Amino acid sequence: MSGFQGGLDLTQDVISYVALGDSFTEGLNDPAPEDSGASRGRFRGWADRLAEHLAERVPEVRYANLAVRGKLIRQIVGDQLPRAIELHPDLVTICAGGNDILRPGGDPDQVAAIFEAAVARLAATGATVVVFTGFDTGFQPVMRHLRGKIATYNMHLRAIADQYGCPVVDLWSMRVLQDRRAWSADRLHLSSEGHRRLTLRVCEVLGVPAEGDWRQPWPDEQPLHWRAARQEDLHWAREYLVPWIGRRLTGRSSGDGLAPKRPNLERLR
């Protein structure tokens, strides 16, 4: 099988969708609307939003989100993959390996080998398996040095997607996300608007009609004065960078002790 042909079949009466991954797929930092019925403090994110778009086109959508923040690819494959296969969904999205690449010594070749084995198992179920590349971090001063490793990993991901006939959401080419307004205060996770635009891109890849254009230019914005920008950088380093480094050094994860927000295929209301 080579290359993804066509879109998702929206003529079905029921579509089941399972999302696998880490904080990116869990939906940090996109708070769920208060009137959505979600538990307090839960995040929404692009995967929830995708399920909502599907529900506008298909009579019944059953959705599970197994993603947990901070998880490494071996944890995703060990904990989430068996459950996804057990649920036997029509659609699977998998974005994994980013946390491995961010860590010192993270080898994109080794991570890609694990990712390929996971995609092979998912594709064997007959599901449509959506693969995501990594972001281009060239615009982020702290993450810029990882650009080469991410590019290498992305080449592996594209080859894997081609081999197993997977649609690809190319985050690297989404220049619209290289605006600071696409990112939350921690500079590691998308903002609500970033998640909204990404959802539109995923819908485009899958052939799901959705209103809006993810490429729409951002409104003009006055650049920050250098003093204000410096203060923002210092605040970010104190509130987000230092704790993140501390977790890496101590082997802790932001997802320790957390369960998936939607562990079962449930009808989207």
Side-chain angles (χ1 to χ4, degrees), residues 101-102 134-151 154 171-172 175 178 183 187-188:
I101 300 298
L102 288 175
F135 293 101
D136 181 354
T137 58
F139 72 102
Q140 294 179 326
V142 176
M143 300 292 184
R144 189 174 296 149
H145 69 286
L146 296 170
R147 197 171 186 236
K149 289 172 63 175
I150 296 170
N154 284 352
L171 301 177
W172 183 279
R175 302 302 181 196
Q178 294 184 7
W183 298 87
R187 304 182 184 179
L188 289 171

Side-chain angles (χ1 to χ4, degrees), residues 80-269:
Q80 300 176 26
L81 181 64
R83 178 59 176 158
I85 293 173
E86 179 184 358
L87 293 173
H88 202 76
D90 304 301
L91 172 67
V92 177
T93 56
I94 178 168
C95 185
N99 287 323
D100 300 79
I101 300 298
L102 288 175
R103 294 183 176 226
D107 186 333
D109 299 331
Q110 293 178 0
V111 176
I114 299 170
F115 189 93
E116 179 174 4
V119 170
R121 293 174 63 186
L122 290 169
T125 69
T128 296
V129 182
V130 183
V131 171
F132 292 73
T133 71
F135 293 101
D136 181 354
T137 58
F139 72 102
Q140 294 179 326
V142 176
M143 300 292 184
R144 189 174 296 149
H145 69 286
L146 296 170
R147 197 171 186 236
K149 289 172 63 175
I150 296 170
T152 299
Y153 188 48
N154 284 352
M155 293 302 291
H156 282 300
L157 295 177
R158 284 194 163 279
I160 293 166
D162 185 64
Q163 180 177 352
Y164 294 95
C166 302
V168 177
V169 179
D170 186 8
L171 301 177
W172 183 279
S173 68
M174 291 184 68
R175 302 302 181 196
V176 72
L177 298 183
Q178 294 184 7
D179 186 288
R180 69 188 191 94
R181 287 166 288 184
W183 298 87
S184 60
D186 67 9
R187 304 182 184 179
L188 289 171
H189 301 101
L190 293 174
S191 64
S192 292
E193 177 61 13
H195 279 285
R196 187 190 72 83
R197 288 175 182 255
L198 175 54
T199 307
L200 294 175
R201 175 63 176 138
V202 180
C203 285
E204 181 180 83
V205 169
L206 288 174
V208 178
E211 292 187 11
D213 182 1
W214 62 269
R215 300 176 185 82
Q216 182 177 0
W218 294 89
D220 290 337
E221 182 183 48
Q222 290 294 327
L224 283 177
H225 186 272
W226 71 266
R227 193 182 304 275
R230 176 63 173 165
Q231 290 175 340
E232 275 198 5
D233 289 343
L234 291 172
H235 174 77
W236 170 77
R238 182 175 63 252
E239 295 296 322
Y240 301 106
L241 180 60
V242 171
W244 183 82
I245 292 174
R247 289 195 297 272
R248 299 289 82 76
L249 293 175
T250 58
R252 293 178 292 117
S253 167
S254 57
D256 288 347
L258 294 182
K261 64 181 182 181
R262 292 182 67 100
N264 303 307
L265 276 177
E266 298 175 345
R267 182 167 185 170
L268 200 68
R269 296 178 175 84

